[in-house]
Amino acid sequence: DENLYFRAIRKGFLDYIICVSADHGSTFFEKKSLLFIPEFGRVTFIYNPINADLIIENKSVLAKKKQILFAGALRECKGFHDALRIMCKFLRNRPDYKFIVAGDIGLHNLNEQSGYEKDFYEKMIKPIENEYSDIIRNNIEFLGKVPRNKLFHLMSESKISIQNPSWTSQAETLGMAIIEAQCLGTPAVSTFRGGQRESIINKKTGLLVKKHSDEDFLRQLNRLVEDETIYRKLSENGYTMMKDRFHYTKVARTPMCQHS
């Protein structure tokens, strides 16, 4: 409950609020409750660190497969309904590709067949299943939750990783799955909002979509599929740039970590 944070700040119980990204930290200053305590100003961020060396051990030496990966919870807040719809449109024109979904809902109120929350399934997913039933049956694989080493292997062998393509759901505070995928040489595509703007270095390790349409997201996916020069550059940059930004040894040297 964020109101607990505000009450604790006013009473002087907190020295800092530590967030997982700069964007996450900026949201505190958008809250009206904080406008009454302008002198507080002690909101900072420490990136969630990664062990890039451990991740890279799972890097495949084989050629990338014609598959696009979504790794995360199958929930509205993660934009999975938009990811499924966009990928069905993509696969309709590229039937030689697969869409790999690694993740589950992680809650109890489920539709047994699909693994989605019941309301989410009925309102958001079922219409997509009805329209694209053949594509979902033939070109999409739902793996459920997978072990970390298998997930890293999927990231490494996939052509592209996507995360939260929605403009209406909650933005990511950071986006660890696409950070890990980029470390493994798999460029990421997401929307230009929230923590995605920090987990993807636009046009260097992945592509951020700035317009609110399926067509623009599809355009960026097709760009990576068709332009080998751009793809190779983003793929090669991923490990170096993600390691420099998110490696645990780098994160541990931030002033806040040292102060702690």
Side-chain angles (χ1 to χ4, degrees), residues 18 27 53 55 59 67 74 88 103 109 134 136 143 173 193 196 214 217-218 220 227 230-231 247:
I18 301 177
T27 61
D53 302 308
I55 294 171
K59 185 173 176 60
Q67 65 186 37
L74 313 189
C88 284
N109 183 27
D134 288 344
I136 291 174
L143 303 181
T173 53
R193 61 195 293 256
Q196 296 106 289
D214 290 0
F217 204 97
L218 287 165
Q220 298 306 325
D227 193 324
I230 292 175
Y231 182 88
H247 196 285

Side-chain angles (χ1 to χ4, degrees), residues 33-256:
S33 300
L34 275 180
L35 296 179
F36 296 103
I37 41 175
E39 73 282 359
F40 180 68
R42 292 190 292 273
V43 177
T44 188
F45 71 93
I46 298 174
Y47 284 136
N48 284 333
I50 60 171
N51 187 339
D53 302 308
L54 178 63
I55 294 171
I56 208 68
E57 289 178 3
N58 295 274
K59 185 173 176 60
S60 174
V61 296
L62 303 176
K64 295 282 190 180
K65 293 183 178 180
K66 289 186 175 182
Q67 65 186 37
I68 295 176
L69 176 69
F70 177 97
L74 313 189
R75 301 178 64 183
E76 183 178 358
C77 65
K78 294 294 185 180
F80 179 69
H81 54 300
D82 288 328
L84 182 62
R85 184 187 64 253
I86 289 170
M87 287 309 306
C88 284
K89 292 180 179 180
F90 176 87
L91 295 167
R92 182 170 55 193
N93 295 317
R94 294 188 182 273
D96 54 331
Y97 268 76
K98 296 283 188 181
F99 182 38
I100 308 298
V101 181
D104 60 16
I105 191 64
L107 298 176
H108 298 293
N109 183 27
L110 304 181
N111 174 285
E112 292 183 0
Q113 181 178 3
S114 68
Y116 307 112
E117 295 169 283
K118 286 183 178 179
D119 289 345
F120 178 49
Y121 174 76
E122 291 295 331
K123 295 178 181 178
M124 303 286 200
I125 300 298
K126 193 172 182 179
I128 301 173
E129 289 185 343
N130 291 339
E131 183 174 356
Y132 298 100
S133 57
D134 288 344
I135 291 174
I136 291 174
R137 182 169 55 252
N138 298 322
N139 294 83
I140 299 180
E141 296 182 22
F142 293 89
L143 303 181
K145 190 174 182 179
V146 300
R148 294 292 288 169
N149 61 336
K150 182 176 180 180
L151 180 59
F152 291 150
H153 181 74
L154 288 169
M155 289 174 174
S156 181
E157 69 180 11
S158 295
K159 182 80 173 180
I160 302 166
S161 176
I162 68 170
Q163 187 171 53
N164 205 337
S166 179
W167 286 96
T168 56
S169 66
Q170 180 179 332
E172 298 292 326
T173 53
L174 186 57
M176 295 306 295
I178 49 177
I179 291 171
E180 293 164 343
Q182 289 169 104
C183 265
L184 289 162
T186 300
V189 180
S190 189
T191 47
F192 187 77
R193 61 195 293 256
Q196 296 106 289
R197 292 173 295 182
E198 294 169 73
S199 56
I200 295 175
I201 304 175
N202 194 29
K203 299 180 182 178
K204 292 185 178 180
T205 66
L207 298 174
L208 291 168
V209 181
K210 297 184 178 181
K211 294 184 179 180
H212 300 211
S213 72
D214 290 0
E215 288 68 29
D216 282 284
F217 204 97
L218 287 165
R219 190 174 296 115
Q220 298 306 325
L221 290 176
N222 285 312
R223 184 183 179 190
L224 289 179
V225 168
E226 296 167 1
D227 193 324
E228 186 60 31
T229 300
I230 292 175
Y231 182 88
R232 191 181 304 113
K233 182 185 80 169
L234 270 55
S235 178
E236 291 173 353
N237 284 343
Y239 173 66
T240 302
M241 292 187 173
M242 292 298 104
K243 183 177 181 179
D244 182 64
R245 180 174 289 195
F246 297 104
H247 196 285
Y248 69 92
T249 57
K250 177 70 175 290
V251 173
R253 292 195 297 268
T254 61
M256 178 53 63

Side-chain angles (χ1 to χ4, degrees), residues 8-22:
I9 290 170
R10 290 194 184 91
K11 292 179 180 296
F13 294 157
L14 298 179
D15 293 321
Y16 290 95
I17 296 177
I18 301 177
C19 303
V20 299
S21 67

